[in-house]
Amino acid sequence: VPAAAVSSSSPPPRQQQQQAAAVVAPSPADDKVLVSVEVLLHATSAARHSDVQAAVERMLEARSLSYVDGPVPIPADNSFLIENVKRIQICDTDEWVENHKVLLFWQVKPVVHVFQEPGEDDTLSSFNEWALPAKEFDGLWESLLYEVGLKQRLLRYAASALLFTERGVDPCLVSWNRIVLLHGPPGTGKTSLCKALAQKLSIRFKSRYSMCQLIEVNAHSLFSKWFSESGKLVAKLFQKIQEMVEEESNLVFVLIDEVESLAAARQAAISGSEPSDSIRVVNALLTQMDKLKSWPNVIILTTSNITTAIDIAFVDRADIKAYVGPPTLQARYEILRSCIQELLRVGILTYPQGGSVPCILNYSTLKEKQHCPEAAEPNGSFHFSSLLYEAAELCEGLSGRSLRKLPFLAHASVANPSCCDASTFMHTLIQTAKREISESR
Ligand code: ADP
């Protein structure tokens, strides 16, 4: 037991107390030293963290021991703590100890942090689940900007697939499936587009399906996290999905991200560079996916960051394959425009000289006006939009994800961020774009 009993009852000399405060963080209120006490709850504990915190504080108050880094035994007669707490640990006193001081209980104000170890279900954190339509995906579809037609094409494909199913079209006569593959470079919005598509469809088919769910599985994390237990967990996950699809008024979307890691893991297992466990997991997953396909109320959405052929059986059979590339000039302009509008909306950007909020022209209007010189009055919306256009031109090759960060980076580099006029900001945005582009090469 690292904590030794102390019988001292005399208060410390003032000088020693002050030294103590200098070594470990002092508590301004009463000159005591703040010491962190970490309390780990059992995975099964349902106790409120505030109750545990209070109980630990009482327990610590009742003991007259010195404080040294290490575990604190839980008193055997404290059934509440015994039941709920796995470990109590004193932390961060080492600085004090290095200075050859003993930290006595009356010098200390313990700061108790309660946390819980993950339960079995939390180890399934390689997947997420949403009931659709979900509030957090509201507006996502509209925020994704691509060349004209891509989103509509996806929506029509998926809607036709669901309609064929609903009308009971015989798959021996007309074949179709409900597998979507979006592939392209990272950060081009593939995952977001899958989620937005599921959200749109859940709204469109509300009258046919009373419940819609989206399950997101990250194929990559499947391998990094699930190794020892992976087979069992894949089975458990799919059993859950199976239960959902058996209810025919449910529409279930299964999103598998970074699907190429399945093929990579299989390849690595064949060449012997990864344990053969992984091949079992991949195969289990593919078998389960294959089984799932036969259910009419499932749509499987997959994404891949590689653009070459992916050697995975079910992806081969994807009907809907779409390449999602880096944003075009128009998409880049519109992405940046939506960012600037948002910053104006919340007042982070202001119009020059306190004027009214400038209307930033949309791409096609700007294009039309580029041919009529009278549009170019200073500080008008054309001037403003042209600066934005310049930034969008510079950003060729940046992903949508990088573009959405650009205004943030630009803001972080303006000299006076609390009063940021939109015109000056545009110039900073252009500089930031130049920097980002040169760093990304
Ligand atoms: P991926 O799955 O392709 O790596 P994500 O879906 O994770 O990409 O995209 C990350 C974020 O980048 C999106 O949530 C979105 O904010 C932004 N983004 C990417 N591409 C676009 C785009 N074409 N239009 C608008 N925003 C985009």
Side-chain angles (χ1 to χ4, degrees):
V1 181
V6 176
S7 57
S8 163
S9 57
S10 60
R14 183 78 191 151
Q15 194 193 2
Q16 189 190 335
Q17 239 182 12
Q18 273 168 354
Q19 262 180 358
V23 176
V24 186
S27 150
D30 47 17
D31 260 7
K32 287 195 175 185
V33 177
L34 300 178
V35 169
S36 297
V37 178
E38 293 182 356
V39 180
L40 173 63
L41 299 184
H42 287 300
T44 48
S45 165
R48 285 220 313 257
H49 288 198
S50 53
D51 292 345
V52 177
Q53 185 183 341
V56 172
E57 281 166 358
R58 277 197 303 276
M59 186 274 275
L60 291 171
E61 255 170 48
R63 53 168 240 153
S64 323
L65 301 174
S66 61
Y67 276 73
V68 189
D69 274 16
V72 176
I74 303 170
D77 59 352
N78 194 329
S79 56
F80 175 70
L81 290 183
I82 293 275
E83 211 171 278
N84 291 290
V85 172
K86 184 167 177 182
R87 190 183 69 218
I88 302 178
Q89 178 107 0
I90 294 174
C91 310
D92 312 331
T93 62
D94 40 346
E95 222 184 312
W96 186 271
V97 174
E98 265 169 34
N99 285 280
H100 308 293
K101 297 279 187 303
V102 179
L103 204 49
L104 304 175
F105 68 96
W106 40 257
Q107 296 173 291
V108 168
K109 183 175 166 49
V111 184
V112 177
H113 307 280
V114 181
F115 66 111
Q116 190 155 24
E117 70 178 7
E120 209 193 329
D121 271 354
D122 291 339
T123 55
L124 287 179
S125 60
S126 302
F127 84 90
N128 295 317
E129 187 184 352
W130 292 270
L132 297 180
K135 196 166 181 298
E136 60 192 293
F137 301 147
D138 197 27
L140 186 59
W141 179 262
E142 291 70 23
S143 79
L144 294 165
L145 302 158
Y146 295 101
E147 71 267 34
V148 182
L150 174 68
K151 289 198 296 183
Q152 286 314 316
R153 185 159 65 97
L154 281 177
L155 196 55
R156 279 204 303 267
Y157 262 133
S160 297
L162 282 176
L163 180 72
F164 273 40
T165 306
E166 194 187 320
R167 296 287 165 87
V169 173
D170 183 347
C172 299
L173 300 177
V174 182
S175 80
W176 81 100
N177 62 39
R178 291 165 303 280
I179 302 176
V180 177
L181 168 67
L182 301 184
H183 60 108
T188 47
K190 300 177 296 294
T191 312
S192 312
L193 189 53
C194 285
K195 290 176 178 168
L197 179 66
Q199 170 97 341
K200 273 271 151 215
L201 292 168
S202 76
I203 296 167
R204 299 245 165 132
F205 286 83
K206 194 84 199 152
S207 56
R208 165 67 183 83
Y209 299 98
S210 57
M211 273 267 274
C212 274
Q213 274 137 323
L214 169 64
I215 309 268
E216 179 189 30
V217 184
N218 182 292
H220 183 71
S221 66
L222 206 69
F223 295 107
S224 41
K225 285 194 199 155
W226 286 13
F227 237 1
S228 53
E229 294 266 306
S230 38
K232 215 166 83 191
L233 288 164
V234 168
K236 205 168 159 186
L237 168 62
F238 277 88
Q239 189 193 337
K240 191 181 155 84
I241 299 176
Q242 182 75 27
E243 281 163 21
M244 289 176 183
V245 298
E246 277 170 12
E247 179 55 60
E248 67 143 29
S249 63
N250 278 355
L251 177 58
V252 181
F253 296 92
V254 180
L255 165 57
I256 304 190
D257 240 345
E258 299 179 38
V259 83
E260 71 275 13
S261 51
L262 298 181
R266 185 140 71 170
Q267 201 49 47
I270 292 168
S271 67
S273 59
E274 242 184 79
S276 57
D277 256 8
S278 68
I279 201 164
R280 251 177 274 132
V281 184
V282 177
N283 288 343
L285 193 80
L286 293 176
T287 316
Q288 297 282 6
M289 301 288 307
D290 256 343
K291 266 204 241 159
L292 209 57
K293 256 180 17 204
S294 59
W295 291 86
N297 50 341
V298 173
I299 293 200
I300 298 173
L301 307 163
T302 60
T303 75
S304 168
N305 285 335
I306 56 167
T307 40
T308 48
I310 312 163
D311 154 45
I312 301 179
F314 70 84
V315 168
D316 271 354
R317 279 174 249 149
D319 264 353
I320 309 168
K321 285 186 200 161
Y323 174 74
V324 183
T328 57
L329 175 58
Q330 176 164 5
R332 296 199 297 276
Y333 178 86
E334 292 295 348
I335 291 172
L336 290 177
R337 183 166 84 103
S338 68
C339 295
I340 300 296
Q341 272 169 335
E342 179 63 5
L343 295 182
L344 284 164
R345 183 187 71 82
V346 298
I348 284 184
L349 293 187
T350 54
Y351 191 50
Q353 286 101 42
S356 63
V357 171
C359 142
I360 317 176
L361 304 175
N362 68 27
Y363 185 80
S364 30
T365 315
L366 176 71
K367 278 292 187 191
E368 279 164 25
K369 292 215 171 175
Q370 276 176 339
H371 303 295
C372 54
E374 64 273 20
E377 88 270 23
N379 270 341
S381 52
F382 177 78
H383 170 74
F384 197 65
S385 310
S386 300
L387 289 173
L388 190 63
Y389 184 83
E390 195 182 322
E393 272 187 320
L394 275 171
C395 290
E396 186 171 1
L398 287 190
S399 70
R401 185 190 282 145
S402 311
L403 281 171
R404 288 219 178 273
K405 273 187 214 148
L406 207 58
F408 169 75
L409 296 176
H411 184 265
S413 63
V414 294
N416 186 2
S418 59
C419 156
C420 201
D421 99 61
S423 265
T424 319
F425 185 75
M426 283 302 181
H427 293 288
T428 315
L429 189 70
I430 290 171
Q431 293 311 318
T432 312
K434 283 183 183 156
R435 197 182 66 215
E436 284 299 296
I437 284 285
S438 71
E439 281 174 9
S440 71
R441 286 202 175 119

